[in-house]
Amino acid sequence: MGKKPLQFMITLGLLGSLLSGCTAGDDSSNEIAELKKEITALKEENEQLKEGQGAVNTDSEPEESASASDQPATTAAVDAPLIAELNKAVTVADFAEFTVVKTQFNKVIKPSKPGDFHTYYEAKDEGNTYLAVTIKLKSLLAAGKSADDFASLTIKYNDKYEYRTFSTIEEQGGADFTYTSITSIEPLKTETLVFLAEVPKEVETDTGPLKAIITINEAEYDLIIR
């Protein structure tokens, strides 16, 4: 029996005692009236308690979230690298079109059609050689742009070793080289750029993977050399 039903029974007992042992004085009448009010209130409360005991609790605990093993596996999407291939034109929208036309190892790099007087590049260190990547580049810009701002190139050997390059540009129809920093490529004009990296001869003679990473307008293109 709960607290409220017990209080209800005690109050009923007190009322019975008063009714049987009291006189008809004003004080007794007042006490009886107060007790009747309390009994009425306790009855109502007792009924509410009974109803509450029979009610079904609908506020159930939230189900535990599914375990990690029940969740579908997700992996971060990895974008496939952009690819450049020998003698295949690549268009970078509203910027440039480029084609890799040649890769070569040589101690001395000359322009494609060297004139009687021309500039050339020679690897002075006995254990080194040059790796040269020749690119024909057509500007798709509306105005001229410095040749050395169009593209950059890095050589990666054995998926580990990286070699920076510098660039030069042919002039006079391939008879000579000049500096890319002082040469502008005008709209819709095609020029020949040569990127050179001085590398150990091991890079040439080994059979490990070798590629050039061409960066143009913030996009990177992999050129597989071997």
Side-chain angles (χ1 to χ4, degrees), residues 11-226:
T11 305
L12 285 175
L14 288 171
L15 178 60
S17 298
L18 286 169
L19 289 173
S20 61
C22 70
T23 62
D26 292 338
D27 292 339
S28 297
S29 298
N30 291 336
E31 289 180 7
I32 291 169
E34 290 296 327
L35 283 170
K36 285 182 177 181
K37 289 180 180 179
E38 187 174 347
I39 289 169
T40 301
L42 287 170
K43 278 184 178 181
E44 294 176 356
E45 190 172 351
N46 194 41
E47 290 300 321
Q48 291 174 359
L49 286 171
K50 287 180 180 179
E51 291 176 1
Q53 288 174 356
V56 178
N57 183 11
T58 57
D59 296 332
S60 59
E61 293 293 327
E63 294 183 3
E64 293 185 3
S65 59
S67 63
S69 59
D70 295 332
Q71 299 295 330
T74 57
T75 55
V78 178
D79 293 334
L82 299 171
I83 300 297
E85 297 180 79
L86 200 64
N87 296 318
K88 288 189 176 181
V90 176
T91 300
V92 182
D94 299 321
F95 190 77
E97 179 184 286
F98 72 93
T99 306
V100 181
V101 295
K102 185 179 182 180
T103 65
Q104 64 168 319
F105 285 100
N106 213 320
K107 289 285 287 185
V108 178
I109 302 298
K110 297 180 179 182
S112 58
K113 300 175 182 178
D116 293 337
F117 299 96
H118 61 271
T119 302
Y120 64 89
Y121 297 90
E122 182 177 7
K124 300 296 184 181
D125 192 318
E126 183 62 30
N128 289 350
T129 189
Y130 272 122
L131 171 55
V133 178
T134 303
I135 295 176
K136 286 191 177 293
L137 187 143
K138 178 181 180 180
S139 173
L140 300 180
L141 298 175
K145 185 179 182 69
S146 179
D148 64 349
D149 289 337
F150 273 95
S152 62
L153 190 147
T154 301
I155 300 298
K156 193 165 189 177
Y157 162 61
N158 250 354
D159 297 323
K160 180 178 180 180
Y161 305 103
E162 292 189 353
Y163 300 91
R164 291 178 296 179
T165 67
F166 65 92
S167 62
T168 187
I169 186 170
E170 290 189 347
E171 65 175 354
Q172 300 173 24
D176 201 3
F177 285 134
T178 189
Y179 299 106
T180 52
S181 59
I182 62 171
T183 305
S184 177
I185 301 179
E186 300 303 316
L188 302 181
K189 288 280 191 177
T190 300
E191 301 291 352
T192 301
L193 299 168
V194 182
F195 294 87
L196 300 98
E198 187 170 349
V199 299
K201 283 187 176 180
E202 176 185 346
V203 177
E204 178 183 10
T205 58
D206 190 34
T207 57
L210 182 65
K211 69 179 179 180
I213 303 170
I214 303 166
T215 302
I216 181 166
N217 201 28
E218 299 183 355
E220 290 187 352
Y221 297 81
D222 285 358
L223 171 71
I224 306 302
I225 298 175
R226 67 165 182 252

